[in-house]
Amino acid sequence: MDVVKLVRKFLLIALSLCVAISTGCERDEKITPKAAKAAGKMEATATVTIGLIPEHNIFRQMERFKPLAKYLAERTGLKIELKILSRYGNIISNFVSMNLDGAFFGSFTYTLAHSKIGLEVMARPESPEGTSTYYGLLFVRKDSGLKEGRDMRGKRFAFVDKATTAGYLLPLDYFKSQGINDYKAYFSETYFTGTHENAIYDVLNKKADVGAAKNTVFYRIAKEDPRILKELAILFRSPDVPENALALRKDLPDTVKQRIKSALLAMSDDPEGARVLGSFGAGRFIETTDQDYAAVFTYAEKIGLDLATHDYIND
């Protein structure tokens, strides 16, 4: 392994383990369930640790979320720490082991986390154009000649992760609609890329023949790389589902949860908040409840997936 690759590997591991932003206080007191009972005394100096799923590469994730964490720390008086997880599935299995207090969950990971360990969703971003949902895309190269499922026998398929709506539920629903009952036998190779961005580039660069990813990432990177729209074709899309939302532990003090939620919902009314929202790529945060995930629950039921028992760890 050359020096550049070695250094890059070290940085990825270090950032995956823990990237912390410390603002707003000097003490570092974790809000444990026991501490929650004494919330009134501890709130002002508590640390809230928030996990991030690897929607993009981890460097882009940190660049996007650091200003938001800093803003929340300044407005709430809490110490906000960010931890980027190396893959989607880890965010649930590691939620307890890594002592996380909350996370920005994708639509599927929230329904899984809500069903398995019980979390409370707070708010999600709305785009400057007023969109707070996304959908999944199934795509191929335009020069591949692939038009439908029967053209894909023996081809290579790039999923994102078994804990994603766009990168896993969508392909399974498509396979079912195309009469593909055993996708592992139907394709010559199937694998998980770990991020939506990787799935898009694997198809673009001919590592895979068919891929799936969320539309927000697809069109966001298409603004930077014109090859995306020029060389890729969309074959199928999923129903609209809620954009990534912040969910917190139910046993956090209610006043702490409300302080964070209120700060997010009021950002667009604050000039500094509006500036941070602009760099985040949002127009405002909107209140989010379990009812907003009805489409995901229905989608999972449609393909016969039990959220409470679903094994979301990739093969």
Side-chain angles (χ1 to χ4, degrees):
M1 181 179 296
D2 61 37
V3 174
V4 173
K5 289 183 177 179
L6 185 62
V7 171
R8 182 178 299 168
K9 183 176 181 180
F10 173 78
L11 289 172
L12 287 171
I13 293 173
L15 279 170
S16 297
L17 289 174
C18 176
V19 184
I21 298 171
S22 303
T23 54
C25 60
E26 296 180 352
R27 294 171 59 193
D28 185 7
E29 275 184 288
K30 192 69 179 171
I31 303 178
T32 63
K34 182 179 178 180
K37 296 179 181 178
K41 180 180 178 181
M42 297 182 62
E43 284 172 7
T45 57
T47 295
V48 176
T49 307
I50 296 175
L52 304 177
I53 56 178
E55 189 175 62
H56 304 277
N57 69 56
I58 58 177
F59 300 105
R60 288 194 180 192
Q61 284 290 81
M62 282 307 301
E63 183 180 350
R64 186 179 184 216
F65 278 86
K66 279 173 66 176
L68 179 63
K70 182 175 184 293
Y71 178 84
L72 284 178
E74 291 172 349
R75 292 300 186 271
T76 63
L78 299 165
K79 182 177 179 180
I80 305 294
E81 287 189 355
L82 299 179
K83 287 188 177 181
I84 296 183
L85 303 175
S86 59
R87 43 184 296 273
Y88 274 82
N90 287 356
I91 202 165
I92 300 174
S93 61
N94 290 345
F95 195 92
V96 176
S97 64
M98 294 178 70
N99 209 20
L100 297 181
D101 299 304
F104 276 88
F105 286 99
S107 58
F108 191 31
T109 47
Y110 173 69
T111 57
L112 286 171
H114 179 73
S115 299
K116 291 176 180 293
I117 59 177
L119 293 176
E120 186 175 350
V121 67
M122 299 284 114
R124 69 183 189 275
E126 182 181 78
S127 74
E129 295 76 27
T131 301
S132 61
T133 59
Y134 70 91
Y135 53 87
L137 298 172
L138 202 73
F139 47 86
V140 298
R141 285 189 56 84
K142 290 181 178 178
D143 58 8
S144 68
L146 303 177
K147 302 293 184 184
E148 52 190 342
R150 65 182 179 182
D151 302 325
M152 299 177 186
R153 182 183 293 277
K155 301 299 182 182
R156 301 160 298 175
F157 195 100
F159 295 98
V160 176
D161 192 289
K162 287 179 72 175
T164 63
T165 299
Y168 188 66
L169 290 184
L170 162 65
L172 295 189
D173 182 50
Y174 180 78
F175 297 158
K176 185 176 181 179
S177 71
Q178 296 290 304
I180 302 173
N181 298 318
D182 183 356
Y183 72 81
K184 292 181 180 178
Y186 195 80
F187 291 92
S188 63
E189 180 187 3
T190 60
Y191 66 97
F192 295 94
T193 64
T195 71
H196 296 272
E197 185 172 335
N198 286 344
I200 295 165
Y201 275 106
D202 278 6
V203 175
L204 183 67
N205 295 324
K206 301 183 179 180
K207 181 179 178 181
D209 300 296
V210 192
K214 62 191 301 185
N215 73 305
T216 50
V217 177
F218 188 93
Y219 291 111
R220 189 178 299 151
I221 65 173
K223 292 180 180 178
E224 304 168 359
D225 189 341
R227 294 182 303 153
I228 302 295
L229 297 181
K230 183 179 180 181
E231 299 182 27
L232 298 183
I234 308 299
L235 295 185
F236 191 65
R237 59 158 288 178
S238 74
D240 289 343
V241 294
E243 184 56 273
N244 293 1
L246 176 64
L248 299 172
R249 285 177 15 216
K250 284 187 175 179
D251 60 354
L252 282 179
D254 288 340
T255 50
V256 170
K257 289 185 287 189
Q258 190 57 46
R259 191 181 299 176
I260 294 172
K261 183 176 181 178
S262 296
L264 288 171
L265 298 183
M267 283 184 73
S268 57
D269 298 323
D270 172 19
E272 176 61 15
R275 188 191 65 77
V276 173
L277 283 168
S279 68
F280 190 75
R284 62 172 182 163
F285 272 85
I286 61 173
E287 185 172 17
T288 305
T289 68
D290 287 346
Q291 285 67 43
D292 293 307
Y293 294 85
V296 184
F297 288 109
T298 300
Y299 204 20
E301 183 179 359
K302 181 181 175 184
I303 61 174
L305 190 150
D306 186 339
L307 292 169
T309 60
H310 173 55
D311 178 10
Y312 56 87
I313 303 300
N314 295 331
D315 299 329

PDB file of all heavy atoms in Angstrom, residues 161-187:
ATOM      1  N   ASP A 161     -27.239   0.064   0.627  1.00  0.00           N
ATOM      2  CA  ASP A 161     -27.139  -0.592   1.931  1.00  0.00           C
ATOM      3  C   ASP A 161     -28.502  -1.196   2.237  1.00  0.00           C
ATOM      4  O   ASP A 161     -29.537  -0.671   1.793  1.00  0.00           O
ATOM      5  CB  ASP A 161     -26.756   0.430   3.024  1.00  0.00           C
ATOM      6  CG  ASP A 161     -26.348  -0.220   4.333  1.00  0.00           C
ATOM      7  OD1 ASP A 161     -27.233  -0.766   5.031  1.00  0.00           O
ATOM      8  OD2 ASP A 161     -25.156  -0.179   4.665  1.00  0.00           O
ATOM      9  N   LYS A 162     -28.534  -2.276   3.028  1.00  0.00           N
ATOM     10  CA  LYS A 162     -29.803  -2.924   3.362  1.00  0.00           C
ATOM     11  C   LYS A 162     -30.661  -2.084   4.300  1.00  0.00           C
ATOM     12  O   LYS A 162     -31.790  -2.459   4.595  1.00  0.00           O
ATOM     13  CB  LYS A 162     -29.544  -4.294   3.987  1.00  0.00           C
ATOM     14  CG  LYS A 162     -29.081  -5.339   2.982  1.00  0.00           C
ATOM     15  CD  LYS A 162     -28.809  -6.673   3.635  1.00  0.00           C
ATOM     16  CE  LYS A 162     -30.102  -7.372   4.048  1.00  0.00           C
ATOM     17  NZ  LYS A 162     -29.814  -8.738   4.572  1.00  0.00           N
ATOM     18  N   ALA A 163     -30.131  -0.956   4.777  1.00  0.00           N
ATOM     19  CA  ALA A 163     -30.908  -0.087   5.660  1.00  0.00           C
ATOM     20  C   ALA A 163     -31.325   1.195   4.936  1.00  0.00           C
ATOM     21  O   ALA A 163     -31.504   2.236   5.567  1.00  0.00           O
ATOM     22  CB  ALA A 163     -30.112   0.246   6.912  1.00  0.00           C
ATOM     23  N   THR A 164     -31.465   1.159   3.619  1.00  0.00           N
ATOM     24  CA  THR A 164     -31.872   2.345   2.875  1.00  0.00           C
ATOM     25  C   THR A 164     -33.156   2.082   2.083  1.00  0.00           C
ATOM     26  O   THR A 164     -33.373   0.978   1.578  1.00  0.00           O
ATOM     27  CB  THR A 164     -30.788   2.800   1.882  1.00  0.00           C
ATOM     28  OG1 THR A 164     -30.583   1.769   0.909  1.00  0.00           O
ATOM     29  CG2 THR A 164     -29.482   3.085   2.578  1.00  0.00           C
ATOM     30  N   THR A 165     -34.003   3.115   1.979  1.00  0.00           N
ATOM     31  CA  THR A 165     -35.210   3.014   1.154  1.00  0.00           C
ATOM     32  C   THR A 165     -34.831   3.014  -0.320  1.00  0.00           C
ATOM     33  O   THR A 165     -35.196   2.109  -1.081  1.00  0.00           O
ATOM     34  CB  THR A 165     -36.156   4.199   1.428  1.00  0.00           C
ATOM     35  OG1 THR A 165     -36.546   4.182   2.808  1.00  0.00           O
ATOM     36  CG2 THR A 165     -37.407   4.109   0.564  1.00  0.00           C
ATOM     37  N   ALA A 166     -34.083   4.048  -0.727  1.00  0.00           N
ATOM     38  CA  ALA A 166     -33.744   4.190  -2.144  1.00  0.00           C
ATOM     39  C   ALA A 166     -32.766   3.119  -2.612  1.00  0.00           C
ATOM     40  O   ALA A 166     -32.851   2.654  -3.745  1.00  0.00           O
ATOM     41  CB  ALA A 166     -33.151   5.576  -2.394  1.00  0.00           C
ATOM     42  N   GLY A 167     -31.839   2.756  -1.744  1.00  0.00           N
ATOM     43  CA  GLY A 167     -30.774   1.856  -2.146  1.00  0.00           C
ATOM     44  C   GLY A 167     -31.025   0.389  -1.869  1.00  0.00           C
ATOM     45  O   GLY A 167     -30.166  -0.451  -2.165  1.00  0.00           O
ATOM     46  N   TYR A 168     -32.228   0.034  -1.333  1.00  0.00           N
ATOM     47  CA  TYR A 168     -32.525  -1.380  -1.088  1.00  0.00           C
ATOM     48  C   TYR A 168     -34.008  -1.707  -1.278  1.00  0.00           C
ATOM     49  O   TYR A 168     -34.368  -2.592  -2.047  1.00  0.00           O
ATOM     50  CB  TYR A 168     -32.081  -1.782   0.320  1.00  0.00           C
ATOM     51  CG  TYR A 168     -32.177  -3.268   0.570  1.00  0.00           C
ATOM     52  CD1 TYR A 168     -31.367  -4.168  -0.129  1.00  0.00           C
ATOM     53  CD2 TYR A 168     -33.072  -3.788   1.505  1.00  0.00           C
ATOM     54  CE1 TYR A 168     -31.456  -5.541   0.096  1.00  0.00           C
ATOM     55  CE2 TYR A 168     -33.169  -5.156   1.735  1.00  0.00           C
ATOM     56  CZ  TYR A 168     -32.355  -6.026   1.031  1.00  0.00           C
ATOM     57  OH  TYR A 168     -32.444  -7.374   1.245  1.00  0.00           O
ATOM     58  N   LEU A 169     -34.903  -0.961  -0.574  1.00  0.00           N
ATOM     59  CA  LEU A 169     -36.342  -1.241  -0.726  1.00  0.00           C
ATOM     60  C   LEU A 169     -36.789  -1.028  -2.168  1.00  0.00           C
ATOM     61  O   LEU A 169     -37.559  -1.832  -2.715  1.00  0.00           O
ATOM     62  CB  LEU A 169     -37.169  -0.348   0.208  1.00  0.00           C
ATOM     63  CG  LEU A 169     -37.081  -0.615   1.706  1.00  0.00           C
ATOM     64  CD1 LEU A 169     -38.034   0.308   2.457  1.00  0.00           C
ATOM     65  CD2 LEU A 169     -37.391  -2.059   2.031  1.00  0.00           C
ATOM     66  N   LEU A 170     -36.363   0.058  -2.772  1.00  0.00           N
ATOM     67  CA  LEU A 170     -36.735   0.333  -4.168  1.00  0.00           C
ATOM     68  C   LEU A 170     -36.331  -0.809  -5.104  1.00  0.00           C
ATOM     69  O   LEU A 170     -37.179  -1.310  -5.859  1.00  0.00           O
ATOM     70  CB  LEU A 170     -36.107   1.652  -4.633  1.00  0.00           C
ATOM     71  CG  LEU A 170     -36.039   1.864  -6.153  1.00  0.00           C
ATOM     72  CD1 LEU A 170     -37.434   1.977  -6.751  1.00  0.00           C
ATOM     73  CD2 LEU A 170     -35.207   3.099  -6.484  1.00  0.00           C
ATOM     74  N   PRO A 171     -35.060  -1.260  -5.097  1.00  0.00           N
ATOM     75  CA  PRO A 171     -34.708  -2.377  -5.986  1.00  0.00           C
ATOM     76  C   PRO A 171     -35.541  -3.631  -5.726  1.00  0.00           C
ATOM     77  O   PRO A 171     -35.961  -4.293  -6.680  1.00  0.00           O
ATOM     78  CB  PRO A 171     -33.226  -2.618  -5.661  1.00  0.00           C
ATOM     79  CG  PRO A 171     -32.726  -1.305  -5.181  1.00  0.00           C
ATOM     80  CD  PRO A 171     -33.881  -0.718  -4.418  1.00  0.00           C
ATOM     81  N   LEU A 172     -35.799  -3.961  -4.444  1.00  0.00           N
ATOM     82  CA  LEU A 172     -36.593  -5.161  -4.154  1.00  0.00           C
ATOM     83  C   LEU A 172     -38.004  -5.031  -4.722  1.00  0.00           C
ATOM     84  O   LEU A 172     -38.564  -5.999  -5.255  1.00  0.00           O
ATOM     85  CB  LEU A 172     -36.653  -5.404  -2.636  1.00  0.00           C
ATOM     86  CG  LEU A 172     -35.336  -5.749  -1.931  1.00  0.00           C
ATOM     87  CD1 LEU A 172     -35.611  -6.170  -0.493  1.00  0.00           C
ATOM     88  CD2 LEU A 172     -34.576  -6.846  -2.665  1.00  0.00           C
ATOM     89  N   ASP A 173     -38.595  -3.839  -4.608  1.00  0.00           N
ATOM     90  CA  ASP A 173     -39.927  -3.618  -5.161  1.00  0.00           C
ATOM     91  C   ASP A 173     -39.895  -3.731  -6.680  1.00  0.00           C
ATOM     92  O   ASP A 173     -40.792  -4.317  -7.295  1.00  0.00           O
ATOM     93  CB  ASP A 173     -40.422  -2.231  -4.739  1.00  0.00           C
ATOM     94  CG  ASP A 173     -41.835  -1.959  -5.239  1.00  0.00           C
ATOM     95  OD1 ASP A 173     -42.713  -2.819  -5.033  1.00  0.00           O
ATOM     96  OD2 ASP A 173     -42.057  -0.893  -5.837  1.00  0.00           O
ATOM     97  N   TYR A 174     -38.843  -3.200  -7.294  1.00  0.00           N
ATOM     98  CA  TYR A 174     -38.707  -3.279  -8.756  1.00  0.00           C
ATOM     99  C   TYR A 174     -38.552  -4.727  -9.198  1.00  0.00           C
ATOM    100  O   TYR A 174     -39.194  -5.163 -10.167  1.00  0.00           O
ATOM    101  CB  TYR A 174     -37.511  -2.451  -9.217  1.00  0.00           C
ATOM    102  CG  TYR A 174     -37.300  -2.485 -10.714  1.00  0.00           C
ATOM    103  CD1 TYR A 174     -38.092  -1.727 -11.561  1.00  0.00           C
ATOM    104  CD2 TYR A 174     -36.300  -3.285 -11.278  1.00  0.00           C
ATOM    105  CE1 TYR A 174     -37.911  -1.759 -12.941  1.00  0.00           C
ATOM    106  CE2 TYR A 174     -36.106  -3.319 -12.647  1.00  0.00           C
ATOM    107  CZ  TYR A 174     -36.918  -2.562 -13.475  1.00  0.00           C
ATOM    108  OH  TYR A 174     -36.738  -2.600 -14.838  1.00  0.00           O
ATOM    109  N   PHE A 175     -37.691  -5.484  -8.502  1.00  0.00           N
ATOM    110  CA  PHE A 175     -37.495  -6.889  -8.856  1.00  0.00           C
ATOM    111  C   PHE A 175     -38.832  -7.637  -8.805  1.00  0.00           C
ATOM    112  O   PHE A 175     -39.145  -8.431  -9.694  1.00  0.00           O
ATOM    113  CB  PHE A 175     -36.506  -7.559  -7.896  1.00  0.00           C
ATOM    114  CG  PHE A 175     -35.112  -6.983  -7.919  1.00  0.00           C
ATOM    115  CD1 PHE A 175     -34.255  -7.162  -6.835  1.00  0.00           C
ATOM    116  CD2 PHE A 175     -34.656  -6.268  -9.019  1.00  0.00           C
ATOM    117  CE1 PHE A 175     -32.980  -6.640  -6.850  1.00  0.00           C
ATOM    118  CE2 PHE A 175     -33.376  -5.729  -9.051  1.00  0.00           C
ATOM    119  CZ  PHE A 175     -32.535  -5.916  -7.948  1.00  0.00           C
ATOM    120  N   LYS A 176     -39.616  -7.377  -7.743  1.00  0.00           N
ATOM    121  CA  LYS A 176     -40.903  -8.057  -7.595  1.00  0.00           C
ATOM    122  C   LYS A 176     -41.821  -7.719  -8.759  1.00  0.00           C
ATOM    123  O   LYS A 176     -42.503  -8.594  -9.315  1.00  0.00           O
ATOM    124  CB  LYS A 176     -41.561  -7.659  -6.269  1.00  0.00           C
ATOM    125  CG  LYS A 176     -42.840  -8.417  -5.973  1.00  0.00           C
ATOM    126  CD  LYS A 176     -43.389  -8.029  -4.595  1.00  0.00           C
ATOM    127  CE  LYS A 176     -44.677  -8.810  -4.297  1.00  0.00           C
ATOM    128  NZ  LYS A 176     -45.219  -8.453  -2.950  1.00  0.00           N
ATOM    129  N   SER A 177     -41.846  -6.430  -9.153  1.00  0.00           N
ATOM    130  CA  SER A 177     -42.712  -6.002 -10.259  1.00  0.00           C
ATOM    131  C   SER A 177     -42.266  -6.586 -11.595  1.00  0.00           C
ATOM    132  O   SER A 177     -43.064  -6.697 -12.527  1.00  0.00           O
ATOM    133  CB  SER A 177     -42.725  -4.469 -10.356  1.00  0.00           C
ATOM    134  OG  SER A 177     -41.474  -3.981 -10.843  1.00  0.00           O
ATOM    135  N   GLN A 178     -40.979  -6.981 -11.684  1.00  0.00           N
ATOM    136  CA  GLN A 178     -40.425  -7.518 -12.938  1.00  0.00           C
ATOM    137  C   GLN A 178     -40.355  -9.047 -12.931  1.00  0.00           C
ATOM    138  O   GLN A 178     -39.784  -9.648 -13.847  1.00  0.00           O
ATOM    139  CB  GLN A 178     -39.019  -6.946 -13.168  1.00  0.00           C
ATOM    140  CG  GLN A 178     -38.983  -5.434 -13.377  1.00  0.00           C
ATOM    141  CD  GLN A 178     -39.580  -5.016 -14.710  1.00  0.00           C
ATOM    142  OE1 GLN A 178     -39.160  -5.464 -15.758  1.00  0.00           O
ATOM    143  NE2 GLN A 178     -40.585  -4.149 -14.649  1.00  0.00           N
ATOM    144  N   GLY A 179     -40.883  -9.664 -11.872  1.00  0.00           N
ATOM    145  CA  GLY A 179     -40.878 -11.121 -11.788  1.00  0.00           C
ATOM    146  C   GLY A 179     -39.520 -11.715 -11.453  1.00  0.00           C
ATOM    147  O   GLY A 179     -39.276 -12.904 -11.693  1.00  0.00           O
ATOM    148  N   ILE A 180     -38.638 -10.928 -10.862  1.00  0.00           N
ATOM    149  CA  ILE A 180     -37.315 -11.418 -10.441  1.00  0.00           C
ATOM    150  C   ILE A 180     -37.432 -11.848  -8.981  1.00  0.00           C
ATOM    151  O   ILE A 180     -37.400 -11.017  -8.066  1.00  0.00           O
ATOM    152  CB  ILE A 180     -36.235 -10.326 -10.609  1.00  0.00           C
ATOM    153  CG1 ILE A 180     -36.175  -9.856 -12.059  1.00  0.00           C
ATOM    154  CG2 ILE A 180     -34.876 -10.834 -10.143  1.00  0.00           C
ATOM    155  CD1 ILE A 180     -35.256  -8.659 -12.294  1.00  0.00           C
ATOM    156  N   ASN A 181     -37.592 -13.141  -8.756  1.00  0.00           N
ATOM    157  CA  ASN A 181     -37.852 -13.638  -7.401  1.00  0.00           C
ATOM    158  C   ASN A 181     -36.569 -13.904  -6.611  1.00  0.00           C
ATOM    159  O   ASN A 181     -36.566 -13.808  -5.392  1.00  0.00           O
ATOM    160  CB  ASN A 181     -38.685 -14.923  -7.477  1.00  0.00           C
ATOM    161  CG  ASN A 181     -40.042 -14.672  -8.113  1.00  0.00           C
ATOM    162  OD1 ASN A 181     -40.704 -13.666  -7.820  1.00  0.00           O
ATOM    163  ND2 ASN A 181     -40.467 -15.555  -9.020  1.00  0.00           N
ATOM    164  N   ASP A 182     -35.499 -14.276  -7.279  1.00  0.00           N
ATOM    165  CA  ASP A 182     -34.217 -14.545  -6.602  1.00  0.00           C
ATOM    166  C   ASP A 182     -33.147 -13.690  -7.281  1.00  0.00           C
ATOM    167  O   ASP A 182     -32.485 -14.116  -8.216  1.00  0.00           O
ATOM    168  CB  ASP A 182     -33.868 -16.036  -6.702  1.00  0.00           C
ATOM    169  CG  ASP A 182     -32.589 -16.385  -5.943  1.00  0.00           C
ATOM    170  OD1 ASP A 182     -31.928 -15.460  -5.411  1.00  0.00           O
ATOM    171  OD2 ASP A 182     -32.249 -17.582  -5.886  1.00  0.00           O
ATOM    172  N   TYR A 183     -32.976 -12.469  -6.777  1.00  0.00           N
ATOM    173  CA  TYR A 183     -32.075 -11.548  -7.477  1.00  0.00           C
ATOM    174  C   TYR A 183     -30.616 -12.007  -7.424  1.00  0.00           C
ATOM    175  O   TYR A 183     -29.829 -11.711  -8.316  1.00  0.00           O
ATOM    176  CB  TYR A 183     -32.234 -10.122  -6.931  1.00  0.00           C
ATOM    177  CG  TYR A 183     -31.671  -9.867  -5.546  1.00  0.00           C
ATOM    178  CD1 TYR A 183     -30.317  -9.624  -5.358  1.00  0.00           C
ATOM    179  CD2 TYR A 183     -32.499  -9.843  -4.430  1.00  0.00           C
ATOM    180  CE1 TYR A 183     -29.802  -9.369  -4.098  1.00  0.00           C
ATOM    181  CE2 TYR A 183     -32.001  -9.608  -3.169  1.00  0.00           C
ATOM    182  CZ  TYR A 183     -30.648  -9.368  -2.994  1.00  0.00           C
ATOM    183  OH  TYR A 183     -30.146  -9.125  -1.743  1.00  0.00           O
ATOM    184  N   LYS A 184     -30.254 -12.740  -6.356  1.00  0.00           N
ATOM    185  CA  LYS A 184     -28.862 -13.193  -6.244  1.00  0.00           C
ATOM    186  C   LYS A 184     -28.518 -14.194  -7.343  1.00  0.00           C
ATOM    187  O   LYS A 184     -27.371 -14.265  -7.788  1.00  0.00           O
ATOM    188  CB  LYS A 184     -28.623 -13.809  -4.861  1.00  0.00           C
ATOM    189  CG  LYS A 184     -28.695 -12.794  -3.722  1.00  0.00           C
ATOM    190  CD  LYS A 184     -28.425 -13.435  -2.383  1.00  0.00           C
ATOM    191  CE  LYS A 184     -28.504 -12.405  -1.262  1.00  0.00           C
ATOM    192  NZ  LYS A 184     -28.294 -13.013   0.076  1.00  0.00           N
ATOM    193  N   ALA A 185     -29.526 -14.967  -7.766  1.00  0.00           N
ATOM    194  CA  ALA A 185     -29.298 -15.922  -8.854  1.00  0.00           C
ATOM    195  C   ALA A 185     -29.460 -15.256 -10.212  1.00  0.00           C
ATOM    196  O   ALA A 185     -28.863 -15.693 -11.202  1.00  0.00           O
ATOM    197  CB  ALA A 185     -30.275 -17.096  -8.718  1.00  0.00           C
ATOM    198  N   TYR A 186     -30.272 -14.198 -10.272  1.00  0.00           N
ATOM    199  CA  TYR A 186     -30.592 -13.538 -11.543  1.00  0.00           C
ATOM    200  C   TYR A 186     -29.426 -12.695 -12.054  1.00  0.00           C
ATOM    201  O   TYR A 186     -29.118 -12.688 -13.248  1.00  0.00           O
ATOM    202  CB  TYR A 186     -31.825 -12.653 -11.354  1.00  0.00           C
ATOM    203  CG  TYR A 186     -32.468 -12.194 -12.639  1.00  0.00           C
ATOM    204  CD1 TYR A 186     -33.310 -13.047 -13.362  1.00  0.00           C
ATOM    205  CD2 TYR A 186     -32.248 -10.918 -13.135  1.00  0.00           C
ATOM    206  CE1 TYR A 186     -33.917 -12.627 -14.542  1.00  0.00           C
ATOM    207  CE2 TYR A 186     -32.857 -10.485 -14.302  1.00  0.00           C
ATOM    208  CZ  TYR A 186     -33.685 -11.339 -15.003  1.00  0.00           C
ATOM    209  OH  TYR A 186     -34.279 -10.935 -16.167  1.00  0.00           O
ATOM    210  N   PHE A 187     -28.771 -11.978 -11.120  1.00  0.00           N
ATOM    211  CA  PHE A 187     -27.643 -11.113 -11.516  1.00  0.00           C
ATOM    212  C   PHE A 187     -26.333 -11.888 -11.381  1.00  0.00           C
ATOM    213  O   PHE A 187     -26.200 -12.791 -10.551  1.00  0.00           O
ATOM    214  CB  PHE A 187     -27.605  -9.861 -10.643  1.00  0.00           C
ATOM    215  CG  PHE A 187     -28.741  -8.913 -10.895  1.00  0.00           C
ATOM    216  CD1 PHE A 187     -29.915  -9.002 -10.164  1.00  0.00           C
ATOM    217  CD2 PHE A 187     -28.638  -7.943 -11.878  1.00  0.00           C
ATOM    218  CE1 PHE A 187     -30.977  -8.135 -10.406  1.00  0.00           C
ATOM    219  CE2 PHE A 187     -29.694  -7.066 -12.124  1.00  0.00           C
ATOM    220  CZ  PHE A 187     -30.861  -7.167 -11.389  1.00  0.00           C
TER     221      PHE A 187
END
